[in-house]
Amino acid sequence: IQNSVYKNRLFNIVAFSQSGLSTKEKEDLKQRIAEILDATKKDSKKLTFGNTRTTFDVKYSGTANIQEGQSYVKATIPLEAKPYGYPVIEQEVYGSGLVVNNGDKDVGVVHIIRGGCQNPSFQLGNITYIWNGTVPENSKLYINHEDYSCYLESVEGVRVNALNKLTGEFQKVPKGTSMAITCFNDTQDYITTRIKEYVLWKYNK
């Protein structure tokens, strides 16, 4: 529904150990489960559905119920997932081409321009972008429409804000649409455009 606000989804994973465990093995397994869950309370982990190859960021939420059977262990683990997932592999367009958003959410693409490109310029949709300067060797220029940032990143991972050299307004590719990217000058040989499509959980039931 247009303009709906989607909230995180709560669900349980129920898992059984193999049978035939001794009392000590059951206690060891229960302790290992508790240690893993405690270590993942603060950081989200990736849950991937094999049938759709869609990944969701999930966090341990609540209190797990770990039960002991005669020779097995049963664990009911509460998790919380963000409403949108994304493909395991992002879509990439090299040089000029068509960026397609088949997802359920408007998303901003990321342009990555390799070192050596002089005054990179291109058009995305109806907007022209120009970055004034030469991208240093052993560095890459990132123009991120998703978080409205523009920066240089060295091979060591050091980032330097480069927004002041960029002209052109950030934009997003509307869900269910496509947008053309047209490169100017020799930018064609240096630029890669990535898009991460977001899909709602309902498609993975």
Side-chain angles (χ1 to χ4, degrees):
I1 300 175
Q2 190 175 8
N3 299 323
S4 293
V5 177
Y6 296 101
K7 298 181 179 180
N8 288 1
R9 184 185 182 97
L10 301 175
F11 67 102
N12 291 326
I13 283 184
V14 181
F16 291 83
S17 73
Q18 62 185 11
S19 59
L21 299 180
S22 66
T23 300
K24 184 179 186 307
E25 289 173 329
K26 288 188 291 183
E27 289 300 320
D28 289 344
L29 179 56
K30 287 162 61 179
Q31 182 63 31
R32 283 167 50 201
I33 293 173
E35 290 174 354
I36 291 171
L37 294 179
D38 185 64
T40 58
K41 271 189 174 182
K42 294 182 180 179
D43 300 322
S44 63
K45 301 297 179 183
K46 297 185 185 300
L47 173 67
T48 300
F49 291 87
N51 60 331
T52 60
R53 296 187 62 79
T54 302
T55 297
F56 288 83
D57 293 325
V58 302
K59 294 181 69 173
Y60 174 47
S61 176
T63 303
N65 182 13
I66 304 175
Q67 298 176 315
E68 185 177 320
Q70 185 174 2
S71 64
Y72 66 91
V73 171
K74 174 186 175 182
T76 303
I77 303 170
L79 298 172
E80 181 178 352
K82 293 184 177 181
Y84 290 97
Y86 48 87
V88 176
I89 300 175
E90 294 182 21
Q91 178 191 152
E92 291 188 336
V93 176
Y94 301 96
S96 299
L98 191 66
V99 179
V100 181
N101 180 9
N102 287 319
D104 301 309
K105 180 183 179 182
D106 299 349
V107 295
V109 301
V110 180
H111 307 291
I112 305 169
I113 302 172
R114 300 192 314 276
C117 186
Q118 297 181 358
N119 300 315
S121 58
F122 58 91
Q123 183 173 318
L124 178 65
N126 296 321
I127 300 178
T128 297
Y129 299 88
I130 301 173
W131 192 80
N132 295 301
T134 299
V135 181
E137 295 290 348
N138 298 321
S139 292
K140 292 180 180 179
L141 174 66
Y142 287 79
I143 302 173
N144 190 329
H145 295 263
E146 185 66 23
D147 63 11
Y148 310 108
S149 65
C150 176
Y151 58 87
L152 290 167
E153 183 174 282
S154 68
V155 291
E156 294 82 13
V158 177
R159 294 182 178 181
V160 177
N161 189 352
L163 186 59
N164 61 332
K165 294 185 177 182
L166 179 68
T167 59
E169 295 182 1
F170 292 109
Q171 61 179 318
K172 293 193 175 183
V173 181
K175 59 184 180 182
T177 67
S178 60
M179 196 171 284
I181 176 171
T182 304
C183 299
F184 305 130
N185 303 322
D186 62 349
T187 305
Q188 169 83 22
D189 301 325
Y190 292 88
I191 189 171
T192 300
T193 301
R194 292 178 182 171
I195 182 171
K196 180 187 286 187
E197 299 168 313
Y198 288 91
V199 295
L200 283 168
W201 176 281
K202 60 185 174 67
Y203 293 122
N204 292 275
K205 289 183 178 180

